[in-house]
Amino acid sequence: MKNYTTIHNIKDFSSTIKETIELKKNPFLFSELGKHKTLVMLFFNSSLRTRLSTEKAAKHLGMDVMVLNVNDAWNLEFEDGTVMNLNNSEHIKEAAGVISQYADIIAVRAFPTLKNKQKDASEHVITSFLKYSSVPIISMESATAHPLQALADAITVEEFKTKERPKVVLSWAPHPKALPQAVANSFVEMMQNRDVDFSVTHPEGYELNPEIVKNVPVNYNQEEALKDADFVYVKNWSSYSDYGQILSQDNNWMLTKEKLGQAKFMHCLPVRRNVVVEDAVLDSDQSVVLQQANNRTFAAQIVLKKILEEL
Ligand code: CP
């Protein structure tokens, strides 16, 4: 693997997931692979899981890890040909080139603006790192995608499924803040590549990018959509058509124990209790959010392993 910025960098989903489940049994098996190699993790935005799980994954492989909260460094300029006489002190061309001198792999987290749809769709941060770095790039969540999360999600479904082709439903839920579509986008793309009965449910106006959703069934009736589900993945996202807007905070869309039925509950976390999902779900045995978060380590580890093998 050269880079991991989209789930489509994975050649074979089934074998990668199988390999990851094996790796979990013996996480230090390849602890020599990353010896004397450095992962630099760059955070333009906050993180708990991605930061800790990716560092843990790198350490399982024997790598050294350096972390930079980019907001503590010089303000970066991304436009070409700009006269840099305002606030931005360093151009991405130099910054990415310099970081490549210190890193064997660079991992980047950069959220969308949720204001400028075109700019977010261009993925200007991750694309600039791909263009100006001389080492592989991993996305730790970009403007439109969260491929490490989606890989962990697919591993979790595989581990907990009790039938060959489980019913998996992605359900929108209310949230007080405008959130990106990235997690939902990558989960939709991942489920399209798995042997599952997959559908999405959300209120009208919350349609995701149709180029991502393609022919996945969408149901505006949550109760109907969740019937007989094996997995309910709950996530808020802001409107894509009315870009970045909160159109509804209707708490009838919060997931309750009654609506969950016999399904397993999934969420990428962090989650707002009793807004997105009620306590009774999170505190029940049907919630697999901690196991899902644990799988973030092994999703990152398999990606790092595949990149290190090609260095
Ligand atoms: N799910 C996820 O990416 O968590 P963090 O934002 O805490 O990294």
Side-chain angles (χ1 to χ4, degrees):
M1 191 184 280
K2 297 281 179 231
N3 301 289
Y4 188 64
T5 58
T6 152
I7 67 154
H8 302 296
N9 292 135
I10 295 173
K11 283 201 187 97
D12 182 325
F13 291 100
S14 291
S15 71
T16 301
I17 290 164
K18 267 200 197 107
E19 199 184 328
T20 313
I21 292 169
E22 280 308 301
L23 192 63
K24 265 181 94 168
K25 295 176 190 160
N26 196 351
F28 294 100
L29 188 62
F30 302 98
S31 60
E32 290 294 306
L33 188 64
K35 204 173 167 191
H36 300 153
K37 298 272 191 278
T38 300
L39 172 69
V40 171
M41 299 201 291
L42 303 175
F43 288 91
F44 288 80
N45 305 96
S46 310
S47 169
L48 186 156
R49 280 142 290 273
T50 305
R51 181 168 177 162
L52 297 179
S53 62
T54 308
E55 179 163 350
K56 186 173 164 91
K59 287 180 172 169
H60 280 168
L61 294 164
M63 296 187 81
D64 295 320
V65 179
M66 296 196 287
V67 182
L68 179 68
N69 295 324
V70 180
N71 296 334
D72 294 339
W74 305 108
N75 283 347
L76 289 178
E77 176 61 53
F78 286 86
E79 298 299 325
D80 239 352
T82 321
V83 178
M84 288 173 57
N85 59 358
L86 295 174
N87 286 337
N88 294 339
S89 309
E90 178 154 26
H91 201 277
I92 184 67
K93 288 186 186 180
E94 282 74 52
V98 167
I99 298 163
S100 301
Q101 307 303 308
Y102 311 142
D104 296 282
I105 301 173
I106 299 173
V108 181
R109 164 165 282 202
F111 288 169
T113 63
L114 289 182
K115 288 182 171 61
N116 186 332
K117 190 174 188 173
Q118 209 178 353
K119 189 173 179 182
D120 291 345
S122 76
E123 289 283 12
H124 76 288
V125 176
I126 207 91
T127 306
S128 299
F129 275 99
L130 283 166
K131 191 169 172 186
Y132 298 121
S133 303
S134 55
V135 299
I137 301 296
I138 294 175
S139 164
M140 296 192 295
E141 188 170 347
S142 66
T144 67
H146 197 350
L148 285 174
Q149 180 68 53
L151 181 53
D153 298 340
I155 294 161
T156 309
V157 169
E158 189 62 30
E159 287 179 325
F160 282 93
K161 74 180 188 185
T162 54
K163 58 176 75 146
E164 203 56 48
R165 193 165 184 274
K167 176 173 172 177
V168 180
V169 184
L170 171 65
S171 177
W172 181 91
H175 198 283
K177 286 179 72 181
L179 297 187
Q181 295 97 24
V183 168
N185 286 343
S186 292
F187 186 69
V188 168
E189 287 186 306
M190 181 58 87
M191 288 302 108
Q192 285 166 336
N193 284 280
R194 306 299 299 142
D195 187 13
V196 292
D197 169 8
F198 181 56
S199 59
V200 182
T201 182
H202 56 71
E204 286 187 54
Y206 279 99
E207 289 76 12
L208 292 162
N209 182 348
E211 286 174 26
I212 289 175
V213 175
K214 295 179 184 143
N215 57 0
V216 169
V218 175
N219 193 334
Y220 297 130
N221 183 328
Q222 188 193 38
E223 199 180 317
E224 203 178 277
L226 299 187
K227 196 169 178 292
D228 299 326
D230 297 297
F231 294 89
V232 177
Y233 194 121
V234 175
K235 183 73 186 85
N236 169 270
W237 59 88
S238 56
S239 175
Y240 179 72
S241 52
D242 202 352
Y243 193 64
Q245 296 303 303
I246 299 175
L247 307 179
S248 159
Q249 296 208 33
D250 181 358
N251 68 3
N252 287 317
W253 279 80
M254 177 179 78
L255 189 76
T256 61
K257 193 90 190 311
E258 194 184 341
K259 285 194 249 175
L260 182 64
Q262 299 307 307
K264 295 289 185 202
F265 169 72
M266 296 179 70
H267 191 285
C268 62
L269 304 181
V271 69
R272 292 189 182 228
R273 283 176 172 253
N274 304 311
V275 174
V276 171
V277 53
E278 68 174 0
D279 283 341
V281 172
L282 277 167
D283 296 334
S284 77
D285 290 344
Q286 286 169 253
S287 172
V288 295
V289 295
L290 298 186
Q291 296 91 334
Q292 192 181 348
N294 183 40
N295 280 334
R296 291 294 308 275
T297 299
F298 302 99
Q301 193 171 335
I302 199 77
V303 165
L304 286 166
K305 176 176 176 281
K306 285 182 185 296
I307 292 175
L308 286 168
E309 282 166 348
E310 288 196 24
L311 280 184

